[in-house]
């Protein structure tokens, strides 16, 4: 999940001109503008017989000096995502693009407090189900008796 978290944070920071990010607790006297990236929520469902998906949701918080400035930065982010058809690059640890993307679904922005806007982003990851492994029957013997 770390590669998704860091890639989303990098895109938001570059797009909204934010230079400080918090991944853990937000400290007293935070720097503005800044970005807070809490842990995502994850839910999922069966996708097909041999796969399932996880729906990952991030509630990113943008801190600024006023409601309007926070809102403006949040709008820049949502417009960027929409103008790129929801496709955000995934970055490697060295900062280079991996060639993979995250497909964001319906980004949402709102002001949630004085000087705080929230951008909600969601995407799905697909995974194969675990194939049960156990002993296999070597042969099946049918013991069928005729009815009289």
């Amino acid at each position: 999940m770390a590669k998704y978290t860091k890639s989303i944070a990098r895109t938001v920071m570059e797009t909204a001109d934010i230079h400080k990010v918090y991944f853990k607790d937000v400290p007293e006297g935070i720097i503005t503008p800044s970005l807070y990236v809490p842990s995502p929520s994850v839910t999922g469902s069966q996708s097909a017989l041999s796969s399932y998906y996880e729906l990952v949701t991030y509630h990113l918080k943008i801190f600024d000096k006023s409601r309007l400035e926070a809102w403006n930065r949040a709008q820049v982010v949502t417009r960027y995502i929409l103008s790129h058809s929801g496709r955000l690059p995934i970055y490697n640890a060295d900062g280079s693009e991996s060639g993979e993307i995250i497909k964001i679904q319906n980004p949402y922005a709102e002001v949630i407090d004085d000087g705080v806007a929230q951008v909600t982003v969601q995407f799905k990851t697909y995974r194969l189900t675990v194939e049960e492994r156990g002993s296999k029957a070597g042969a099946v013997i049918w013991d069928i008796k005729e009815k009289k």
Side-chain angles (χ1 to χ4, degrees), residues 51-141:
S51 65
Y52 66 97
Y53 71 85
E54 293 177 330
L55 180 63
V56 181
T57 305
Y58 283 91
H59 299 285
L60 310 168
K61 294 182 179 43
I62 296 174
F63 296 93
D64 214 326
K65 294 178 181 118
S66 70
R67 297 170 76 89
L68 182 59
E69 288 174 293
W71 169 249
N72 286 337
R73 289 182 194 277
Q75 279 297 98
V76 166
V77 171
T78 56
R79 286 187 185 126
Y80 176 86
I81 293 169
L82 291 169
S83 70
H84 286 80
S85 301
R87 293 184 187 99
L88 302 183
I90 296 176
Y91 296 97
N92 295 317
D94 65 3
S96 63
E97 288 190 20
S98 69
E100 298 176 279
I101 62 162
I102 305 168
K103 178 74 168 97
I104 302 295
Q105 303 172 340
N106 305 321
Y108 178 74
E110 64 182 322
V111 173
I112 59 171
D113 205 349
D114 287 334
V116 185
Q118 179 171 283
V119 176
T120 302
V121 295
Q122 293 184 319
F123 61 92
K124 290 180 181 178
T125 60
Y126 290 86
R127 308 208 186 279
L128 294 176
T129 55
V130 176
E131 186 177 315
E132 293 295 323
R133 301 212 184 259
S135 59
K136 295 183 179 179
V140 176
I141 300 172

Coordinates of all heavy atoms in Angstrom, one line a residue, residues 51-141:
S51 N -10.9 -14.2 -8.7 CA -10.3 -12.9 -8.2 C -11.2 -12.1 -7.4 O -12.4 -12.4 -7.3 CB -9.9 -12.1 -9.5 OG -11.0 -11.7 -10.2
Y52 N -10.7 -11.1 -6.7 CA -11.5 -10.2 -5.9 C -10.8 -8.8 -6.0 O -9.7 -8.7 -6.5 CB -11.5 -10.6 -4.4 CG -10.2 -10.6 -3.7 CD1 -9.8 -9.5 -2.9 CD2 -9.3 -11.6 -3.8 CE1 -8.6 -9.4 -2.3 CE2 -8.0 -11.6 -3.2 CZ -7.7 -10.5 -2.4 OH -6.5 -10.4 -1.8
Y53 N -11.5 -7.8 -5.6 CA -11.0 -6.5 -5.7 C -11.0 -5.8 -4.3 O -11.9 -6.2 -3.5 CB -11.6 -5.6 -6.7 CG -13.0 -5.1 -6.4 CD1 -13.2 -4.0 -5.6 CD2 -14.1 -5.8 -6.8 CE1 -14.5 -3.6 -5.2 CE2 -15.4 -5.4 -6.5 CZ -15.6 -4.3 -5.7 OH -16.9 -3.9 -5.4
E54 N -10.1 -4.9 -4.0 CA -10.1 -4.1 -2.8 C -10.4 -2.7 -3.3 O -9.8 -2.2 -4.2 CB -8.8 -4.2 -2.1 CG -8.5 -5.5 -1.5 CD -7.1 -5.5 -0.9 OE1 -6.2 -4.8 -1.3 OE2 -7.0 -6.3 0.1
L55 N -11.4 -2.0 -2.7 CA -11.7 -0.6 -2.9 C -10.9 0.2 -1.8 O -11.3 0.1 -0.6 CB -13.2 -0.4 -2.9 CG -13.6 1.1 -3.1 CD1 -13.2 1.5 -4.5 CD2 -15.1 1.2 -2.9
V56 N -9.9 0.9 -2.3 CA -9.1 1.7 -1.3 C -9.5 3.1 -1.4 O -9.7 3.7 -2.4 CB -7.6 1.6 -1.8 CG1 -6.7 2.3 -0.8 CG2 -7.2 0.1 -1.9
T57 N -9.8 3.7 -0.2 CA -10.3 5.1 -0.1 C -9.4 5.9 0.8 O -9.1 5.5 1.9 CB -11.7 5.2 0.5 OG1 -12.6 4.3 -0.3 CG2 -12.2 6.6 0.5
Y58 N -8.9 7.0 0.3 CA -8.0 8.0 1.0 C -8.8 9.2 1.2 O -9.5 9.7 0.3 CB -6.8 8.3 0.3 CG -5.7 7.3 0.3 CD1 -5.6 6.3 -0.7 CD2 -4.7 7.3 1.2 CE1 -4.6 5.4 -0.8 CE2 -3.7 6.3 1.2 CZ -3.7 5.4 0.2 OH -2.7 4.4 0.2
H59 N -8.8 9.7 2.5 CA -9.4 11.0 2.8 C -8.2 12.0 3.1 O -7.8 12.1 4.2 CB -10.3 10.9 4.0 CG -11.5 10.0 3.8 ND1 -12.6 10.3 3.0 CD2 -11.7 8.7 4.2 CE1 -13.4 9.3 2.9 NE2 -12.9 8.3 3.6
L60 N -7.8 12.6 2.1 CA -6.6 13.5 2.2 C -7.0 14.9 2.7 O -8.0 15.4 2.2 CB -6.0 13.7 0.8 CG -5.7 12.4 0.0 CD1 -5.4 12.7 -1.4 CD2 -4.6 11.6 0.7
K61 N -6.3 15.4 3.6 CA -6.6 16.7 4.2 C -5.6 17.7 3.8 O -4.4 17.5 3.9 CB -6.7 16.6 5.7 CG -7.9 15.7 6.1 CD -8.1 15.6 7.5 CE -9.3 14.8 7.9 NZ -9.5 13.6 7.2
I62 N -6.0 18.8 3.2 CA -5.2 20.0 2.8 C -5.4 21.1 3.8 O -6.5 21.6 4.0 CB -5.5 20.4 1.4 CG1 -5.2 19.3 0.4 CG2 -4.7 21.7 1.0 CD1 -5.6 19.5 -1.0
F63 N -4.3 21.5 4.5 CA -4.3 22.6 5.4 C -3.8 23.9 4.8 O -2.8 23.8 4.1 CB -3.5 22.3 6.7 CG -4.0 21.1 7.4 CD1 -3.5 19.8 7.2 CD2 -4.9 21.2 8.4 CE1 -4.0 18.7 7.9 CE2 -5.4 20.1 9.1 CZ -4.9 18.9 8.9
D64 N -4.5 25.0 5.0 CA -4.0 26.3 4.5 C -4.5 27.4 5.5 O -5.1 27.1 6.5 CB -4.5 26.5 3.1 CG -3.5 27.3 2.3 OD1 -2.8 28.2 2.8 OD2 -3.5 27.1 1.0
K65 N -4.2 28.6 5.1 CA -4.5 29.7 6.0 C -6.0 30.0 6.2 O -6.4 30.6 7.2 CB -3.7 31.0 5.6 CG -2.2 30.8 5.7 CD -1.5 32.0 5.2 CE 0.0 31.8 5.3 NZ 0.7 31.8 4.0
S66 N -6.8 29.7 5.2 CA -8.2 30.0 5.2 C -9.0 28.9 4.5 O -8.4 28.0 3.8 CB -8.5 31.3 4.5 OG -8.3 31.2 3.1
R67 N -10.3 28.9 4.7 CA -11.1 27.9 4.0 C -11.0 28.0 2.5 O -10.9 27.0 1.8 CB -12.6 28.2 4.4 CG -12.9 28.0 5.9 CD -14.3 28.5 6.2 NE -15.4 27.6 5.8 CZ -15.8 26.6 6.5 NH1 -15.4 26.4 7.7 NH2 -16.8 25.8 6.0
L68 N -11.0 29.3 2.1 CA -11.0 29.5 0.6 C -9.6 29.0 0.0 O -9.7 28.4 -1.0 CB -11.1 31.0 0.3 CG -11.2 31.4 -1.2 CD1 -12.3 30.7 -1.9 CD2 -11.3 32.9 -1.3
E69 N -8.5 29.3 0.7 CA -7.2 28.8 0.1 C -7.2 27.3 0.2 O -6.7 26.7 -0.8 CB -6.1 29.4 0.9 CG -5.9 30.9 0.7 CD -4.9 31.6 1.5 OE1 -5.1 31.6 2.8 OE2 -3.8 32.0 1.0
A70 N -7.6 26.7 1.2 CA -7.7 25.2 1.3 C -8.6 24.6 0.2 O -8.2 23.7 -0.5 CB -8.1 24.7 2.6
W71 N -9.7 25.2 0.0 CA -10.7 24.8 -1.0 C -10.1 25.0 -2.4 O -10.2 24.1 -3.3 CB -12.0 25.6 -0.9 CG -12.9 25.5 -2.1 CD1 -13.2 26.4 -3.1 CD2 -13.6 24.3 -2.5 NE1 -14.0 25.9 -4.0 CE2 -14.3 24.6 -3.7 CE3 -13.7 23.0 -1.9 CZ2 -15.2 23.7 -4.3 CZ3 -14.6 22.1 -2.6 CH2 -15.3 22.4 -3.7
N72 N -9.4 26.1 -2.7 CA -8.8 26.3 -4.0 C -7.7 25.2 -4.3 O -7.7 24.7 -5.4 CB -8.1 27.7 -4.1 CG -9.2 28.8 -4.2 OD1 -10.3 28.5 -4.7 ND2 -8.8 30.0 -3.8
R73 N -6.9 24.8 -3.3 CA -5.9 23.8 -3.5 C -6.6 22.4 -3.8 O -6.2 21.7 -4.7 CB -5.0 23.7 -2.4 CG -4.0 24.9 -2.3 CD -3.0 24.7 -1.1 NE -2.4 26.0 -0.9 CZ -1.3 26.4 -1.5 NH1 -0.8 25.7 -2.5 NH2 -0.7 27.6 -1.2
A74 N -7.7 22.2 -3.1 CA -8.4 20.9 -3.2 C -9.0 20.8 -4.6 O -9.0 19.8 -5.3 CB -9.5 20.8 -2.2
Q75 N -9.6 22.0 -5.1 CA -10.2 22.0 -6.4 C -9.1 21.8 -7.5 O -9.4 21.1 -8.5 CB -10.9 23.3 -6.7 CG -12.2 23.4 -6.1 CD -13.2 22.4 -6.7 OE1 -13.3 21.3 -6.2 NE2 -13.7 22.7 -7.8
V76 N -7.9 22.3 -7.3 CA -6.8 22.1 -8.3 C -6.5 20.6 -8.4 O -6.3 20.1 -9.5 CB -5.6 22.9 -7.9 CG1 -4.4 22.5 -8.6 CG2 -5.8 24.4 -8.1
V77 N -6.5 20.0 -7.3 CA -6.2 18.5 -7.3 C -7.3 17.7 -8.0 O -7.0 16.9 -8.8 CB -6.1 18.0 -5.8 CG1 -6.0 16.5 -5.8 CG2 -4.8 18.6 -5.2
T78 N -8.6 18.0 -7.6 CA -9.7 17.2 -8.3 C -9.7 17.5 -9.8 O -9.9 16.6 -10.6 CB -11.0 17.5 -7.6 OG1 -11.3 18.9 -7.7 CG2 -11.1 17.0 -6.2
R79 N -9.5 18.7 -10.2 CA -9.5 19.1 -11.6 C -8.3 18.4 -12.3 O -8.5 17.9 -13.5 CB -9.4 20.6 -11.8 CG -10.8 21.2 -11.5 CD -10.7 22.7 -11.9 NE -12.0 23.3 -11.5 CZ -12.1 24.4 -10.7 NH1 -11.0 25.0 -10.3 NH2 -13.2 24.9 -10.4
Y80 N -7.2 18.3 -11.7 CA -6.0 17.6 -12.3 C -6.4 16.2 -12.5 O -6.1 15.6 -13.6 CB -4.8 17.8 -11.4 CG -3.6 17.0 -11.9 CD1 -2.7 17.6 -12.8 CD2 -3.4 15.7 -11.5 CE1 -1.7 16.9 -13.3 CE2 -2.3 15.0 -11.9 CZ -1.4 15.6 -12.8 OH -0.4 14.9 -13.3
I81 N -6.9 15.5 -11.5 CA -7.3 14.1 -11.6 C -8.3 13.9 -12.7 O -8.1 13.0 -13.5 CB -7.8 13.6 -10.2 CG1 -6.7 13.6 -9.2 CG2 -8.4 12.2 -10.4 CD1 -7.2 13.3 -7.8
L82 N -9.3 14.7 -12.7 CA -10.3 14.6 -13.8 C -9.8 14.8 -15.2 O -10.1 14.1 -16.1 CB -11.5 15.5 -13.5 CG -12.4 15.1 -12.3 CD1 -13.3 16.2 -11.9 CD2 -13.1 13.8 -12.5
S83 N -8.9 15.8 -15.3 CA -8.4 16.2 -16.6 C -7.4 15.1 -17.1 O -7.1 15.0 -18.3 CB -7.7 17.5 -16.6 OG -6.5 17.4 -15.8
H84 N -6.9 14.2 -16.2 CA -6.1 13.1 -16.6 C -6.8 11.8 -16.6 O -6.2 10.7 -16.5 CB -4.8 13.0 -15.7 CG -3.9 14.1 -16.0 ND1 -4.0 15.4 -15.5 CD2 -2.7 14.1 -16.7 CE1 -3.0 16.1 -15.9 NE2 -2.2 15.4 -16.7
S85 N -8.2 11.8 -16.7 CA -9.0 10.7 -16.8 C -8.8 9.8 -15.6 O -9.0 8.5 -15.6 CB -8.8 9.9 -18.1 OG -9.1 10.7 -19.2
G86 N -8.5 10.4 -14.4 CA -8.3 9.6 -13.2 C -7.0 8.8 -13.1 O -6.7 8.1 -12.2
R87 N -6.1 8.9 -14.1 CA -4.9 8.1 -14.1 C -3.7 8.9 -13.5 O -3.3 9.9 -13.9 CB -4.5 7.8 -15.6 CG -5.5 6.9 -16.3 CD -5.0 6.6 -17.7 NE -5.9 5.8 -18.4 CZ -6.8 6.4 -19.3 NH1 -6.7 7.6 -19.6 NH2 -7.6 5.6 -19.9
L88 N -3.2 8.3 -12.4 CA -2.1 8.9 -11.7 C -0.9 7.9 -11.8 O -1.1 6.7 -11.6 CB -2.4 9.2 -10.2 CG -3.6 10.1 -9.9 CD1 -3.7 10.3 -8.4 CD2 -3.4 11.4 -10.6
P89 N 0.3 8.4 -12.0 CA 1.4 7.5 -12.1 C 1.8 6.9 -10.7 O 1.6 7.6 -9.7 CB 2.5 8.4 -12.6 CG 2.2 9.8 -12.2 CD 0.7 9.8 -12.2
I90 N 2.3 5.7 -10.7 CA 2.9 5.1 -9.5 C 4.4 5.3 -9.7 O 5.0 5.0 -10.7 CB 2.6 3.6 -9.4 CG1 1.0 3.5 -9.2 CG2 3.3 3.0 -8.3 CD1 0.6 2.0 -9.2
Y91 N 5.0 5.8 -8.6 CA 6.5 6.1 -8.6 C 7.3 5.0 -7.9 O 6.8 4.4 -6.9 CB 6.7 7.4 -8.0 CG 6.1 8.6 -8.7 CD1 4.9 9.1 -8.3 CD2 6.8 9.1 -9.8 CE1 4.3 10.2 -9.0 CE2 6.2 10.2 -10.5 CZ 5.0 10.7 -10.1 OH 4.4 11.7 -10.8
N92 N 8.5 4.7 -8.4 CA 9.4 3.8 -7.7 C 10.0 4.5 -6.5 O 9.9 5.7 -6.3 CB 10.5 3.4 -8.7 CG 10.0 2.6 -9.8 OD1 9.2 1.7 -9.7 ND2 10.5 2.9 -11.0
A93 N 10.7 3.8 -5.7 CA 11.4 4.3 -4.5 C 12.4 5.4 -4.8 O 12.6 6.4 -4.1 CB 12.0 3.2 -3.7
D94 N 13.0 5.3 -6.0 CA 14.0 6.3 -6.4 C 13.4 7.6 -7.1 O 14.1 8.5 -7.5 CB 15.0 5.7 -7.4 CG 14.4 5.3 -8.7 OD1 13.2 5.5 -9.0 OD2 15.1 4.7 -9.6
G95 N 12.0 7.6 -7.1 CA 11.3 8.8 -7.7 C 11.0 8.7 -9.1 O 10.2 9.5 -9.6
S96 N 11.4 7.7 -9.8 CA 11.1 7.5 -11.2 C 9.7 6.9 -11.4 O 9.3 6.2 -10.5 CB 12.2 6.7 -11.9 OG 12.2 5.3 -11.4
E97 N 9.1 7.1 -12.5 CA 7.8 6.5 -12.8 C 8.0 5.0 -13.1 O 8.9 4.6 -13.8 CB 7.1 7.2 -14.0 CG 6.6 8.6 -13.6 CD 5.7 9.2 -14.7 OE1 5.2 8.4 -15.5 OE2 5.6 10.4 -14.7
S98 N 7.1 4.2 -12.5 CA 7.2 2.8 -12.6 C 6.6 2.3 -13.9 O 6.8 1.1 -14.3 CB 6.5 2.1 -11.5 OG 5.1 2.3 -11.6
G99 N 5.8 3.1 -14.6 CA 5.1 2.7 -15.8 C 3.7 2.1 -15.4 O 2.9 1.9 -16.3
E100 N 3.4 2.0 -14.1 CA 2.0 1.6 -13.7 C 1.2 2.8 -13.3 O 1.8 3.9 -13.1 CB 2.1 0.7 -12.5 CG 2.9 -0.6 -12.7 CD 3.0 -1.3 -11.4 OE1 3.9 -1.0 -10.6 OE2 2.2 -2.3 -11.1
I101 N -0.1 2.7 -13.3 CA -0.9 3.8 -12.9 C -1.9 3.3 -11.9 O -2.2 2.2 -11.7 CB -1.7 4.4 -14.1 CG1 -2.6 3.3 -14.7 CG2 -0.8 5.0 -15.2 CD1 -3.7 3.9 -15.6
I102 N -2.5 4.3 -11.2 CA -3.7 4.2 -10.3 C -4.8 4.8 -11.1 O -4.7 5.9 -11.5 CB -3.5 4.9 -9.0 CG1 -2.2 4.5 -8.3 CG2 -4.7 4.7 -8.1 CD1 -1.8 5.4 -7.1
K103 N -5.9 4.2 -11.1 CA -7.1 4.8 -11.8 C -8.1 5.2 -10.7 O -8.8 4.5 -10.1 CB -7.8 3.7 -12.7 CG -9.0 4.2 -13.4 CD -8.7 5.1 -14.5 CE -9.9 5.4 -15.4 NZ -10.7 6.6 -15.1
I104 N -8.1 6.5 -10.5 CA -8.9 7.2 -9.4 C -10.3 7.3 -9.9 O -10.6 7.6 -11.1 CB -8.4 8.6 -9.1 CG1 -6.9 8.5 -8.6 CG2 -9.3 9.2 -8.1 CD1 -6.7 7.8 -7.3
Q105 N -11.3 6.9 -9.1 CA -12.7 7.0 -9.4 C -13.3 8.2 -8.7 O -13.2 8.3 -7.4 CB -13.4 5.7 -8.9 CG -12.9 4.5 -9.5 CD -13.5 3.2 -8.9 OE1 -14.1 3.3 -7.8 NE2 -13.4 2.1 -9.6
N106 N -14.0 9.0 -9.4 CA -14.8 10.1 -8.8 C -14.2 10.9 -7.6 O -14.6 10.8 -6.5 CB -16.2 9.6 -8.3 CG -16.9 8.9 -9.4 OD1 -16.9 9.3 -10.6 ND2 -17.5 7.7 -9.1
P107 N -13.1 11.7 -7.9 CA -12.5 12.4 -6.8 C -13.5 13.4 -6.2 O -14.4 13.9 -7.0 CB -11.3 13.1 -7.4 CG -11.7 13.2 -8.9 CD -12.5 12.0 -9.2
Y108 N -13.4 13.7 -5.0 CA -14.4 14.5 -4.3 C -13.7 15.5 -3.4 O -12.8 15.1 -2.6 CB -15.4 13.6 -3.5 CG -16.5 14.4 -2.7 CD1 -17.5 14.9 -3.4 CD2 -16.4 14.5 -1.4 CE1 -18.5 15.6 -2.7 CE2 -17.3 15.1 -0.6 CZ -18.4 15.7 -1.3 OH -19.4 16.3 -0.6
A109 N -14.1 16.8 -3.4 CA -13.5 17.8 -2.6 C -14.5 18.5 -1.8 O -15.6 18.8 -2.3 CB -12.7 18.8 -3.4
E110 N -14.2 18.8 -0.5 CA -15.1 19.6 0.3 C -14.3 20.3 1.4 O -13.2 19.9 1.8 CB -16.1 18.7 1.0 CG -15.6 17.7 1.9 CD -16.6 16.7 2.5 OE1 -17.7 17.2 2.8 OE2 -16.3 15.6 2.7
V111 N -14.8 21.4 1.9 CA -14.2 22.1 3.1 C -14.8 21.4 4.3 O -16.0 21.3 4.4 CB -14.5 23.6 3.0 CG1 -14.1 24.3 4.3 CG2 -13.9 24.3 1.8
I112 N -13.9 21.0 5.2 CA -14.4 20.3 6.4 C -14.2 21.1 7.7 O -14.7 20.8 8.8 CB -13.8 18.9 6.6 CG1 -12.3 19.0 6.6 CG2 -14.3 18.0 5.4 CD1 -11.6 17.6 7.0
D113 N -13.4 22.2 7.7 CA -13.1 23.0 8.8 C -12.4 24.3 8.4 O -12.1 24.4 7.2 CB -12.2 22.3 9.8 CG -12.4 22.7 11.3 OD1 -13.1 23.8 11.5 OD2 -11.9 22.1 12.2
D114 N -12.3 25.2 9.3 CA -11.5 26.5 9.0 C -10.1 26.1 8.5 O -9.4 25.5 9.3 CB -11.5 27.4 10.2 CG -12.8 28.1 10.4 OD1 -13.6 28.2 9.5 OD2 -13.0 28.4 11.6
G115 N -9.8 26.5 7.3 CA -8.5 26.2 6.8 C -8.2 24.8 6.4 O -7.0 24.4 6.2
V116 N -9.2 23.9 6.3 CA -9.0 22.5 6.0 C -10.0 22.1 4.9 O -11.2 22.2 5.1 CB -9.2 21.6 7.3 CG1 -8.9 20.1 6.9 CG2 -8.4 22.1 8.4
A117 N -9.5 21.5 3.9 CA -10.3 20.9 2.8 C -9.9 19.4 2.7 O -8.8 19.1 3.0 CB -10.1 21.6 1.5
Q118 N -10.9 18.6 2.3 CA -10.6 17.2 2.2 C -10.8 16.8 0.8 O -11.8 17.2 0.2 CB -11.6 16.4 3.1 CG -11.4 14.9 3.0 CD -12.2 14.2 4.1 OE1 -11.8 14.2 5.3 NE2 -13.3 13.7 3.7
V119 N -9.9 16.0 0.3 CA -10.0 15.4 -1.1 C -10.1 13.9 -0.9 O -9.2 13.3 -0.3 CB -8.8 15.8 -2.0 CG1 -8.9 15.0 -3.3 CG2 -8.7 17.2 -2.2
T120 N -11.2 13.3 -1.3 CA -11.4 11.9 -1.2 C -11.2 11.3 -2.6 O -11.7 11.7 -3.6 CB -12.9 11.6 -0.7 OG1 -13.1 12.3 0.5 CG2 -13.1 10.1 -0.6
V121 N -10.3 10.3 -2.6 CA -10.0 9.5 -3.8 C -10.1 8.0 -3.5 O -9.8 7.6 -2.4 CB -8.5 9.8 -4.3 CG1 -8.4 11.3 -4.7 CG2 -7.5 9.5 -3.3
Q122 N -10.6 7.3 -4.5 CA -10.8 5.9 -4.4 C -10.3 5.2 -5.7 O -10.3 5.8 -6.8 CB -12.3 5.5 -4.4 CG -13.0 6.0 -3.1 CD -14.4 5.5 -3.1 OE1 -15.1 5.5 -4.1 NE2 -14.9 5.0 -2.0
F123 N -9.8 4.0 -5.5 CA -9.3 3.2 -6.6 C -9.5 1.7 -6.2 O -9.5 1.4 -5.0 CB -7.9 3.5 -7.1 CG -6.9 3.3 -6.0 CD1 -6.2 2.1 -5.9 CD2 -6.5 4.3 -5.1 CE1 -5.2 1.9 -5.0 CE2 -5.6 4.1 -4.1 CZ -4.9 2.9 -4.1
K124 N -9.5 0.9 -7.2 CA -9.6 -0.6 -7.0 C -8.3 -1.2 -7.3 O -7.6 -0.9 -8.3 CB -10.7 -1.2 -7.8 CG -12.1 -0.8 -7.4 CD -13.1 -1.4 -8.4 CE -14.5 -1.0 -8.0 NZ -15.5 -1.6 -8.9
T125 N -7.9 -2.2 -6.5 CA -6.8 -3.1 -6.8 C -7.4 -4.5 -7.0 O -8.3 -4.9 -6.2 CB -5.7 -3.1 -5.8 OG1 -6.3 -3.6 -4.5 CG2 -5.1 -1.8 -5.6
Y126 N -7.0 -5.2 -8.0 CA -7.5 -6.6 -8.2 C -6.5 -7.6 -7.9 O -5.3 -7.4 -8.1 CB -7.9 -6.8 -9.7 CG -9.1 -5.9 -10.1 CD1 -9.0 -4.6 -10.5 CD2 -10.4 -6.5 -10.0 CE1 -10.2 -3.9 -10.8 CE2 -11.5 -5.8 -10.3 CZ -11.4 -4.4 -10.7 OH -12.5 -3.7 -11.0
R127 N -6.9 -8.7 -7.2 CA -6.0 -9.8 -6.8 C -6.6 -11.1 -7.1 O -7.9 -11.3 -7.1 CB -5.8 -9.6 -5.3 CG -5.3 -8.2 -4.9 CD -4.5 -8.3 -3.7 NE -4.1 -7.0 -3.2 CZ -3.2 -6.2 -3.7 NH1 -2.5 -6.6 -4.7 NH2 -2.9 -5.0 -3.1
L128 N -5.8 -12.1 -7.3 CA -6.2 -13.5 -7.5 C -6.6 -14.1 -6.1 O -5.9 -13.8 -5.1 CB -5.2 -14.3 -8.1 CG -4.8 -13.9 -9.6 CD1 -3.7 -14.8 -10.1 CD2 -6.0 -14.0 -10.5
T129 N -7.6 -14.9 -6.1 CA -8.0 -15.6 -4.9 C -6.9 -16.7 -4.6 O -6.3 -17.2 -5.5 CB -9.4 -16.2 -5.0 OG1 -9.4 -17.1 -6.1 CG2 -10.4 -15.2 -5.0
V130 N -6.8 -17.1 -3.4 CA -5.9 -18.2 -3.0 C -6.5 -19.5 -3.4 O -7.7 -19.8 -3.0 CB -5.6 -18.1 -1.5 CG1 -4.7 -19.3 -1.1 CG2 -5.0 -16.8 -1.1
E131 N -5.8 -20.3 -4.1 CA -6.3 -21.6 -4.5 C -6.1 -22.6 -3.3 O -5.0 -22.6 -2.8 CB -5.6 -22.1 -5.7 CG -6.1 -23.4 -6.3 CD -5.4 -23.8 -7.6 OE1 -5.2 -22.9 -8.4 OE2 -5.0 -25.0 -7.7
E132 N -7.1 -23.2 -2.9 CA -7.0 -24.2 -1.8 C -6.1 -25.4 -2.2 O -6.3 -25.9 -3.3 CB -8.3 -24.7 -1.3 CG -9.2 -23.6 -0.7 CD -8.6 -23.1 0.6 OE1 -8.1 -23.9 1.4 OE2 -8.7 -21.9 0.9
R133 N -5.2 -25.7 -1.4 CA -4.3 -26.8 -1.7 C -4.5 -27.9 -0.7 O -4.5 -27.6 0.5 CB -2.8 -26.4 -1.8 CG -2.6 -25.3 -2.8 CD -1.2 -25.5 -3.3 NE -0.9 -24.4 -4.2 CZ -1.0 -24.5 -5.6 NH1 -1.3 -25.6 -6.1 NH2 -0.7 -23.4 -6.3
G134 N -4.7 -29.1 -1.1 CA -4.9 -30.2 -0.2 C -4.6 -31.5 -0.9 O -4.2 -31.5 -2.0
S135 N -4.9 -32.6 -0.2 CA -4.6 -33.8 -0.8 C -5.7 -34.1 -1.9 O -6.9 -33.7 -1.7 CB -4.6 -35.0 0.2 OG -5.9 -35.0 0.9
K136 N -5.3 -34.6 -3.0 CA -6.2 -34.9 -4.1 C -6.5 -36.4 -4.1 O -5.6 -37.2 -3.8 CB -5.6 -34.5 -5.4 CG -5.4 -33.0 -5.5 CD -4.8 -32.6 -6.8 CE -4.7 -31.1 -6.9 NZ -4.1 -30.6 -8.1
A137 N -7.7 -36.7 -4.5 CA -8.0 -38.1 -4.6 C -7.3 -38.8 -5.7 O -7.2 -38.2 -6.8 CB -9.6 -38.3 -4.8
G138 N -6.7 -39.9 -5.5 CA -6.0 -40.6 -6.5 C -6.9 -41.4 -7.5 O -6.7 -41.5 -8.6
A139 N -8.0 -41.8 -6.9 CA -9.0 -42.6 -7.7 C -10.3 -42.5 -7.0 O -10.4 -42.4 -5.8 CB -8.6 -44.0 -7.9
V140 N -11.4 -42.6 -7.7 CA -12.7 -42.7 -7.2 C -13.3 -44.0 -7.5 O -13.3 -44.4 -8.7 CB -13.6 -41.5 -7.7 CG1 -15.0 -41.6 -7.2 CG2 -13.0 -40.2 -7.4
I141 N -13.7 -44.7 -6.5 CA -14.3 -46.0 -6.7 C -15.8 -45.9 -6.4 O -16.2 -45.5 -5.3 CB -13.7 -47.1 -5.8 CG1 -12.2 -47.1 -6.1 CG2 -14.3 -48.4 -5.9 CD1 -11.4 -48.0 -5.2

